[in-house]
PDB file of all heavy atoms in Angstrom:
ATOM      1  N   VAL M 521     -10.755 -14.539  25.524  1.00 96.00           N
ATOM      2  CA  VAL M 521     -11.342 -14.105  24.251  1.00 96.00           C
ATOM      3  C   VAL M 521     -11.654 -15.332  23.361  1.00 96.00           C
ATOM      4  O   VAL M 521     -12.666 -15.331  22.654  1.00 96.00           O
ATOM      5  CB  VAL M 521     -10.416 -13.091  23.504  1.00 96.00           C
ATOM      6  CG1 VAL M 521      -9.229 -13.745  22.868  1.00 96.00           C
ATOM      7  CG2 VAL M 521     -11.231 -12.332  22.465  1.00 96.00           C
ATOM      8  N   VAL M 522     -10.825 -16.366  23.443  1.00 96.00           N
ATOM      9  CA  VAL M 522     -11.107 -17.511  22.592  1.00 96.00           C
ATOM     10  C   VAL M 522     -12.313 -18.302  23.165  1.00 96.00           C
ATOM     11  O   VAL M 522     -13.081 -18.907  22.426  1.00 96.00           O
ATOM     12  CB  VAL M 522      -9.832 -18.370  22.398  1.00 96.00           C
ATOM     13  CG1 VAL M 522      -9.593 -19.278  23.576  1.00 96.00           C
ATOM     14  CG2 VAL M 522      -9.874 -19.120  21.112  1.00 96.00           C
ATOM     15  N   MET M 523     -12.476 -18.237  24.495  1.00 96.00           N
ATOM     16  CA  MET M 523     -13.665 -18.793  25.095  1.00 96.00           C
ATOM     17  C   MET M 523     -14.909 -18.023  24.678  1.00 96.00           C
ATOM     18  O   MET M 523     -15.967 -18.633  24.378  1.00 96.00           O
ATOM     19  CB  MET M 523     -13.568 -18.791  26.646  1.00 96.00           C
ATOM     20  CG  MET M 523     -12.596 -19.770  27.205  1.00 96.00           C
ATOM     21  SD  MET M 523     -13.079 -21.455  26.730  1.00 96.00           S
ATOM     22  CE  MET M 523     -11.882 -22.383  27.647  1.00 96.00           C
ATOM     23  N   ALA M 524     -14.760 -16.712  24.627  1.00 96.00           N
ATOM     24  CA  ALA M 524     -15.905 -15.877  24.207  1.00 96.00           C
ATOM     25  C   ALA M 524     -16.357 -16.294  22.816  1.00 96.00           C
ATOM     26  O   ALA M 524     -17.556 -16.502  22.558  1.00 96.00           O
ATOM     27  CB  ALA M 524     -15.502 -14.391  24.199  1.00 96.00           C
ATOM     28  N   TRP M 525     -15.380 -16.420  21.912  1.00 96.00           N
ATOM     29  CA  TRP M 525     -15.696 -16.787  20.541  1.00 96.00           C
ATOM     30  C   TRP M 525     -16.358 -18.162  20.477  1.00 96.00           C
ATOM     31  O   TRP M 525     -17.349 -18.368  19.759  1.00 96.00           O
ATOM     32  CB  TRP M 525     -14.406 -16.774  19.700  1.00 96.00           C
ATOM     33  CG  TRP M 525     -14.571 -17.208  18.318  1.00 96.00           C
ATOM     34  CD1 TRP M 525     -15.309 -16.616  17.327  1.00 96.00           C
ATOM     35  CD2 TRP M 525     -13.955 -18.330  17.713  1.00 96.00           C
ATOM     36  NE1 TRP M 525     -15.211 -17.308  16.154  1.00 96.00           N
ATOM     37  CE2 TRP M 525     -14.368 -18.369  16.366  1.00 96.00           C
ATOM     38  CE3 TRP M 525     -13.081 -19.337  18.174  1.00 96.00           C
ATOM     39  CZ2 TRP M 525     -13.955 -19.360  15.480  1.00 96.00           C
ATOM     40  CZ3 TRP M 525     -12.644 -20.289  17.276  1.00 96.00           C
ATOM     41  CH2 TRP M 525     -13.086 -20.314  15.954  1.00 96.00           C
ATOM     42  N   SER M 526     -15.867 -19.102  21.295  1.00 95.00           N
ATOM     43  CA  SER M 526     -16.461 -20.451  21.305  1.00 95.00           C
ATOM     44  C   SER M 526     -17.895 -20.418  21.739  1.00 95.00           C
ATOM     45  O   SER M 526     -18.747 -21.047  21.135  1.00 95.00           O
ATOM     46  CB  SER M 526     -15.657 -21.379  22.208  1.00 95.00           C
ATOM     47  OG  SER M 526     -14.316 -21.431  21.810  1.00 95.00           O
ATOM     48  N   HIS M 527     -18.180 -19.650  22.794  1.00 95.00           N
ATOM     49  CA  HIS M 527     -19.558 -19.570  23.266  1.00 95.00           C
ATOM     50  C   HIS M 527     -20.475 -18.901  22.248  1.00 95.00           C
ATOM     51  O   HIS M 527     -21.634 -19.302  22.082  1.00 95.00           O
ATOM     52  CB  HIS M 527     -19.634 -18.826  24.613  1.00 95.00           C
ATOM     53  CG  HIS M 527     -19.213 -19.662  25.761  1.00 95.00           C
ATOM     54  ND1 HIS M 527     -19.952 -20.774  26.191  1.00 95.00           N
ATOM     55  CD2 HIS M 527     -18.128 -19.603  26.577  1.00 95.00           C
ATOM     56  CE1 HIS M 527     -19.321 -21.328  27.203  1.00 95.00           C
ATOM     57  NE2 HIS M 527     -18.228 -20.661  27.456  1.00 95.00           N
ATOM     58  N   LEU M 528     -19.942 -17.927  21.526  1.00 95.00           N
ATOM     59  CA  LEU M 528     -20.735 -17.300  20.480  1.00 95.00           C
ATOM     60  C   LEU M 528     -21.037 -18.283  19.372  1.00 95.00           C
ATOM     61  O   LEU M 528     -22.135 -18.312  18.816  1.00 95.00           O
ATOM     62  CB  LEU M 528     -20.002 -16.063  19.917  1.00 95.00           C
ATOM     63  CG  LEU M 528     -19.935 -14.880  20.860  1.00 95.00           C
ATOM     64  CD1 LEU M 528     -19.036 -13.802  20.284  1.00 95.00           C
ATOM     65  CD2 LEU M 528     -21.326 -14.324  21.146  1.00 95.00           C
ATOM     66  N   ARG M 529     -20.067 -19.134  19.049  1.00 94.00           N
ATOM     67  CA  ARG M 529     -20.323 -20.155  18.032  1.00 94.00           C
ATOM     68  C   ARG M 529     -21.384 -21.130  18.494  1.00 94.00           C
ATOM     69  O   ARG M 529     -22.123 -21.690  17.681  1.00 94.00           O
ATOM     70  CB  ARG M 529     -19.038 -20.896  17.705  1.00 94.00           C
ATOM     71  CG  ARG M 529     -18.072 -20.102  16.862  1.00 94.00           C
ATOM     72  CD  ARG M 529     -16.685 -20.715  16.920  1.00 94.00           C
ATOM     73  NE  ARG M 529     -16.554 -21.845  16.029  1.00 94.00           N
ATOM     74  CZ  ARG M 529     -15.632 -22.796  16.154  1.00 94.00           C
ATOM     75  NH1 ARG M 529     -14.820 -22.791  17.193  1.00 94.00           N
ATOM     76  NH2 ARG M 529     -15.543 -23.776  15.301  1.00 94.00           N
ATOM     77  N   LEU M 530     -21.452 -21.348  19.826  1.00 94.00           N
ATOM     78  CA  LEU M 530     -22.486 -22.237  20.356  1.00 94.00           C
ATOM     79  C   LEU M 530     -23.832 -21.509  20.468  1.00 94.00           C
ATOM     80  O   LEU M 530     -24.807 -22.090  20.933  1.00 94.00           O
ATOM     81  CB  LEU M 530     -22.053 -22.775  21.731  1.00 94.00           C
ATOM     82  CG  LEU M 530     -20.882 -23.757  21.693  1.00 94.00           C
ATOM     83  CD1 LEU M 530     -20.385 -24.050  23.108  1.00 94.00           C
ATOM     84  CD2 LEU M 530     -21.291 -25.040  21.013  1.00 94.00           C
ATOM     85  N   GLY M 531     -23.851 -20.228  20.067  1.00 93.00           N
ATOM     86  CA  GLY M 531     -25.096 -19.478  20.077  1.00 93.00           C
ATOM     87  C   GLY M 531     -25.403 -18.769  21.366  1.00 93.00           C
ATOM     88  O   GLY M 531     -26.502 -18.256  21.551  1.00 93.00           O
ATOM     89  N   ASN M 532     -24.441 -18.723  22.279  1.00 93.00           N
ATOM     90  CA  ASN M 532     -24.703 -18.160  23.594  1.00 93.00           C
ATOM     91  C   ASN M 532     -24.121 -16.750  23.722  1.00 93.00           C
ATOM     92  O   ASN M 532     -22.968 -16.586  24.074  1.00 93.00           O
ATOM     93  CB  ASN M 532     -24.068 -19.084  24.655  1.00 93.00           C
ATOM     94  CG  ASN M 532     -24.552 -18.768  26.039  1.00 93.00           C
ATOM     95  OD1 ASN M 532     -24.961 -17.634  26.335  1.00 93.00           O
ATOM     96  ND2 ASN M 532     -24.572 -19.761  26.910  1.00 93.00           N
ATOM     97  N   LEU M 533     -24.926 -15.741  23.413  1.00 94.00           N
ATOM     98  CA  LEU M 533     -24.443 -14.371  23.443  1.00 94.00           C
ATOM     99  C   LEU M 533     -24.085 -13.962  24.879  1.00 94.00           C
ATOM    100  O   LEU M 533     -23.064 -13.298  25.121  1.00 94.00           O
ATOM    101  CB  LEU M 533     -25.477 -13.404  22.885  1.00 94.00           C
ATOM    102  CG  LEU M 533     -25.098 -11.928  22.959  1.00 94.00           C
ATOM    103  CD1 LEU M 533     -23.934 -11.617  22.030  1.00 94.00           C
ATOM    104  CD2 LEU M 533     -26.289 -11.025  22.620  1.00 94.00           C
TER     105      LEU M 533
END
Side-chain angles (χ1 to χ4, degrees):
Chain M
V521 76
V522 82
M523 288 300 185
W525 176 63
S526 303
H527 282 292
L528 289 172
R529 285 163 81 202
L530 291 171
N532 194 333
L533 176 68

